[in-house]
Amino acid sequence: MIVLTGVLTGISAALLGSFLILRGNAMLTDAISHSIVFGIIVVWLLTGQTSGPVQVLGAAITGVLTVILSELLARSKLVKMDAAIGLVFPALFAAGVILISINARNVHLDVDSVLLGEIGFVWLNTVALFGVDVPVAVATLGAVLVVNLTFVLVLWKELKLATFDAGLAAALGFLPGVLHYAILTLTSVTAVAAFDAVGAILFIAFVVVPPATAYLLTRRLWLMVMLAVGFAVAAVISGYFLALHWNVSIGGMMASMTGVWFALALLFAPAQGLVAQALRARTERLDHDCRALVAHLFTHQDTPAMAEENTLRALVSHLRWTAPRARAAVLRAHDRDLIERRDGLLCLRPKGTAEVEAIFGRSNA
Amino acid sequence: MTAIIDLFSSDIVQTVLIGAALLGAISGMLGAFAVLRRQSLLGDALSHAALPGVCLGFLIAGGRDLGSVMVGAFATGALAALVMMLIVRRTSLKTDAALGIVLSVFFAVGIVLLTVIQTQGGSGSLGLMTFLFGQAAAILRSDLWVMGGVGLVALLLVLAFWKEFKLVSFDAAFARAQGFPVTALEAVLTVMVALAIVVGLQLVGVVLMVALLIAPAAAARQWTNSLGGMVVLSAAIGAASGAGGALVSATTRGLATGPVVVLIATGIVMVSLLIAPGRGLVWQATAARRARARISDGRVLATLQGFAQMHDDAGYPSERGMLQVALGVKPPAATLASLESRGLIRSVTHPPETTPHWELTKAGHSEAAALSGQPETRQRTT
């Protein structure tokens, strides 16, 4: 059941997170997930409920309010947007923490659980559903997941358009502004529903990291969303078992695992990974050296200096290449059938001549 | 009264106050640069990323030792900054995504380490929790030297590289063109933000540290347009918030220092946003109202002038209804009253009609001419 809670959180968050990442709104999640703490405590003070639909909606309003306040503040031109976000959410969060401290005696909300969540305790609060006792968190998160999934599936086309070309979406009458707030409202709702399980801050990991990981692997939106969901689920399951194994925080471990998947993708993604980038840079450098090499050979071919110039040693002494670099370039040029060794000299093959002509233009040839 | 004096002469309270003020001042000073360089949220990411370092420092030192905790926090903070830079430079992910990734993953690792410490059951694991929200009361007299040292280093760096930092903060492209090592300078500024965070952790904790960086700077920005003024003011506001928060939290049971400090700083920001001369919202509203009034005045004067020209009578009395037709709206009574009190128009009667009429005075004619930029109407002597 703990894993189920995590999976529900992960999928809900990844669905919305994909769009937030692409829209450049990732840090608004940060703001929302902090300031809902204020909403949660205020709703509790007013209604005495710590979970359920009233709590979810009430606290979600605080999240949206944070975004609206930040945007208003930024629009006044007195502070920049990043500073505006950084002013509003700590203030609301601080107010929330103080309210909790003041009412500490009669709340079973405490500061640590707000921040960190305790997914292990989902069983403490259950509700009967179709005759079966399920944790409240699971029921809430399930409902949230259905809402998020419906939202994304029904408005897929609109979301896609508004995300990649807000101007066109507006011109076609799709109201990108409304969609913007709809996404942020759902993010707030999801954050509130998830905060029992993973806490305010770890929720950010579920929203931001799996979609970012997916983004490193693909450029197709539907594939990105699917991959994001997949990484979220993988992080939840692997995190759960590692946490049991090492006896550490389950939520923390799940969020850490999203980071592990991201690090792996960052290193080994086929096209954008750091390893692929390094390999590509190496190939490019080698090919560039090949071009310099064939150009050099072509310049001196059939000249008196040929015996001296068209050798490996000349590359080192005249082109100031290091010996390994020269050897690698010669080998690479050999492999690509650009040059051959004739009478101890390096000579152009037809393909090499063609390459030179491509560089200098045919008129010189 | 004596109770308050007793409070201030107490050794612990003095330590806490001095420490809190010192931390606030350092954060305020360095935060000014972060805010100007639009890196406010970098502070948030780095402060969350300091948590695993705090835990590591704790684990390695085997207790709550400020030195090792600070070194640990600084190390993971710097690592986070490097990872951030790597993600932004080498992938197509945007800055906000990179910030979110670094913030949440480092924090998650920190939480995992925190539970490791708790299961080990060290006596000081409770003390570690104070790093989440800050506990100024936990500042020891020996800690003051460490903080003072860090503050001094930061201050010296700012003074030594004042010109460079100023240039990089306001026009990095120009600085690069002038041959300044911009990347290195930006790295130094980022490192200093990490330094400020490490120092501030004691006071406000990792979660709210960002506010201590941003709020004093954002408030100071409203009052001054000079970098020097802003940095000094920001440090002063930071110190005031820190000391104030420490005082409130020390005298009230069960209130963590961080939230109180943040709320005080936020209060200062709100006041600044409202009343700061030249920029504040109240100031803006007043200026807008003045501008509206000036335009309204001008339109009434121009209309009266138009009637006068039309009738070739400088003292032509215009009725309010005529003004309304010409302006499209009813001329506000306040506008007419203010024009009259400034001696630009005169209320006259025009028998047999009983409604009030207005005519331009001589001053009114020259004012209207000045506003329209046209030569004054020829005055017909009456």
Side-chain angles (χ1 to χ4, degrees):
Chain A
M1 204 47 98
I2 291 169
V3 174
L4 181 63
T5 314
V7 167
L8 290 174
T9 310
I11 298 177
S12 306
L15 280 175
L16 298 171
S18 304
F19 293 100
L20 289 168
I21 288 275
L22 290 170
R23 302 164 65 88
N25 285 336
M27 284 312 272
L28 287 181
T29 325
D30 181 34
I32 287 174
S33 62
H34 280 88
S35 56
I36 54 165
V37 170
F38 178 73
I40 287 169
I41 186 72
V42 167
V43 173
W44 177 83
L45 284 175
L46 293 178
T47 67
Q49 286 178 306
T50 51
S51 55
V54 180
Q55 174 63 268
V56 169
L57 283 180
I61 291 172
T62 335
V64 180
L65 201 66
T66 313
V67 176
I68 294 175
L69 275 178
S70 305
E71 284 175 352
L72 276 181
L73 203 54
R75 208 170 296 157
S76 76
K77 303 245 173 71
L78 292 176
V79 293
K80 303 278 185 316
M81 185 63 189
D82 64 324
I85 295 176
L87 283 172
V88 173
F89 84 79
L92 285 173
F93 187 77
V97 170
I98 286 182
L99 281 177
I100 293 178
S101 310
I102 291 173
N103 297 287
R105 262 162 252 103
N106 35 21
V107 196
H108 64 264
L109 276 171
D110 65 83
V111 173
D112 308 347
S113 76
V114 165
L115 260 188
L116 317 176
E118 197 32 271
I119 202 168
F121 294 165
V122 289
W123 274 116
L124 289 184
N125 216 343
T126 61
V127 65
L129 215 63
F130 308 118
V132 189
D133 268 355
V134 293
V136 176
V138 171
T140 322
L141 280 167
V144 168
L145 175 58
V146 171
V147 172
N148 285 358
L149 200 60
T150 318
F151 174 75
V152 170
L153 288 180
V154 170
L155 295 177
W156 179 262
K157 184 184 63 198
E158 287 80 0
L159 282 171
K160 196 171 174 178
L161 186 60
T163 300
F164 290 106
D165 194 342
L168 180 62
L172 293 175
F174 281 121
L175 302 177
V178 173
L179 276 180
H180 175 66
Y181 284 109
I183 294 178
L184 291 172
T185 308
L186 284 181
T187 309
S188 302
V189 169
T190 314
V192 182
F195 113 103
D196 264 347
V198 291
I201 296 175
L202 299 184
F203 174 70
I204 307 166
F206 283 100
V207 173
V208 177
V209 187
T213 314
Y215 186 58
L216 291 178
L217 296 172
T218 177
R219 281 292 123 97
R220 305 210 63 83
L221 183 59
W222 65 269
L223 194 59
M224 176 179 162
V225 174
M226 299 297 290
L227 279 175
V229 168
F231 280 122
V233 172
V236 165
I237 294 173
S238 57
Y240 176 70
F241 287 106
L242 284 176
L244 285 191
H245 184 248
W246 286 326
N247 190 21
V248 291
S249 155
I250 297 172
M253 203 62 222
M254 288 175 176
S256 301
M257 285 314 290
T258 64
V260 171
W261 300 134
F262 178 79
L264 288 176
L266 182 63
L267 285 175
F268 302 117
Q272 298 184 68
L274 294 182
V275 172
Q277 278 183 28
L279 284 178
R280 205 160 49 232
R282 208 179 101 90
T283 316
E284 272 164 18
R285 211 167 36 241
L286 265 178
D287 281 341
H288 183 263
D289 280 358
C290 279
R291 286 154 66 85
L293 171 64
V294 291
H296 176 80
L297 296 182
F298 181 79
T299 319
H300 298 291
Q301 190 143 316
D302 306 325
T303 65
M306 183 181 176
E308 193 200 331
E309 291 286 353
N310 290 15
T311 58
L312 189 62
R313 193 151 11 93
L315 297 177
V316 177
S317 55
H318 293 180
L319 294 183
R320 302 271 166 86
W321 286 359
T322 59
R325 183 178 171 191
R327 208 170 301 123
V330 168
L331 281 175
R332 172 84 179 160
H334 255 297
D335 289 347
R336 288 178 54 196
D337 198 23
L338 299 174
I339 60 169
E340 62 184 345
R341 201 178 286 270
R342 217 187 293 145
D343 309 329
L345 292 181
L346 300 171
C347 294
L348 288 175
R349 300 269 300 156
K351 258 182 97 178
T353 317
E355 174 104 10
V356 176
E357 278 167 1
I359 298 170
F360 289 136
R362 193 163 274 279
S363 59
N364 279 19
Chain B
M1 193 63 205
T2 46
I4 295 174
I5 293 172
D6 280 351
L7 191 68
F8 275 100
S9 57
S10 137
D11 210 35
I12 298 170
V13 173
Q14 272 180 6
T15 307
V16 167
L17 275 183
I18 295 172
L22 206 57
L23 298 179
I26 299 170
S27 310
M29 175 175 78
L30 299 178
F33 290 100
V35 167
L36 285 175
R37 295 172 59 232
R38 305 193 188 183
Q39 289 204 323
S40 312
L41 294 177
L42 180 72
D44 194 33
L46 294 191
S47 60
H48 283 76
L51 184 64
V54 169
C55 295
L56 277 179
F58 188 92
L59 276 174
I60 291 168
R64 192 180 169 286
D65 170 53
L66 186 65
S68 58
V69 162
M70 278 172 75
V71 170
F74 186 70
T76 50
L79 182 68
L82 278 180
V83 173
M84 255 261 343
M85 231 160 69
L86 185 77
I87 294 176
V88 172
R89 294 221 170 144
R90 301 300 290 275
T91 75
S92 44
L93 287 167
K94 298 189 187 91
T95 312
D96 66 307
L99 284 170
I101 292 165
V102 165
L103 181 152
S104 55
V105 173
F106 273 75
F107 191 79
V109 173
I111 295 302
V112 170
L113 290 175
L114 204 60
T115 47
V116 169
I117 294 170
Q118 276 167 346
T119 45
Q120 281 185 354
S123 57
S125 61
L126 248 177
L128 202 57
M129 288 309 283
T130 63
F131 278 102
L132 281 176
F133 289 111
Q135 187 68 278
I139 297 175
L140 304 174
R141 183 134 279 210
S142 56
D143 296 348
L144 287 185
W145 293 106
V146 181
M147 294 169 193
V150 172
L152 198 63
V153 169
L155 185 63
L156 288 179
L157 272 173
V158 167
L159 289 179
F161 292 110
W162 179 258
K163 184 184 63 193
E164 285 82 357
F165 285 164
K166 194 174 185 175
L167 196 54
V168 168
S169 300
F170 288 103
D171 197 341
F174 177 67
R176 204 181 290 276
Q178 289 290 302
F180 285 99
V182 174
T183 315
L185 287 170
E186 283 180 339
V188 173
L189 277 172
T190 308
V191 164
M192 282 173 31
V193 170
L195 210 60
I197 287 165
V198 166
V199 176
L201 287 182
Q202 285 256 335
L203 184 60
V204 290
V206 295
V207 181
L208 290 169
M209 184 59 217
V210 61
L212 198 58
L213 274 175
I214 300 178
R221 172 68 189 90
Q222 311 308 323
W223 298 92
T224 170
N225 280 329
S226 96
L227 180 64
M230 180 174 163
V231 170
V232 171
L233 198 57
S234 175
I237 293 173
S241 324
L247 203 60
V248 171
S249 136
T251 50
T252 320
R253 274 177 56 85
L255 274 189
T257 319
V260 182
V261 172
V262 169
L263 284 187
I264 291 177
T266 308
I268 298 177
V269 172
M270 290 203 301
V271 170
S272 306
L273 287 176
L274 283 178
I275 65 163
R279 273 173 75 96
L281 292 174
V282 172
W283 200 272
Q284 281 181 15
T286 317
R289 211 179 51 234
R290 283 216 195 96
R292 259 201 310 279
R294 207 167 51 242
I295 291 169
S296 175
D297 288 0
R299 290 186 65 198
V300 170
L301 286 178
T303 312
L304 287 174
Q305 186 197 30
F307 283 141
Q309 279 172 342
M310 212 182 291
H311 296 88
D312 204 16
D313 175 4
Y316 181 78
S318 310
E319 205 250 331
R320 192 170 183 169
M322 292 166 68
L323 282 172
Q324 181 174 351
V325 170
L327 288 169
V329 290
K330 208 171 184 179
T335 305
L336 293 172
S338 106
L339 285 173
E340 191 166 14
S341 71
R342 282 161 63 200
L344 298 176
I345 61 172
R346 189 165 37 222
S347 177
V348 289
T349 50
H350 188 56
E353 290 162 51
T354 51
T355 50
H357 286 60
W358 281 275
E359 63 173 34
L360 283 175
T361 61
K362 211 164 173 153
H365 270 293
S366 25
E367 179 77 16
L371 282 175
S372 64
Q374 281 164 3
E376 219 167 306
T377 326
R378 270 176 292 111
Q379 302 258 327
R380 202 178 64 174
T381 45
T382 39

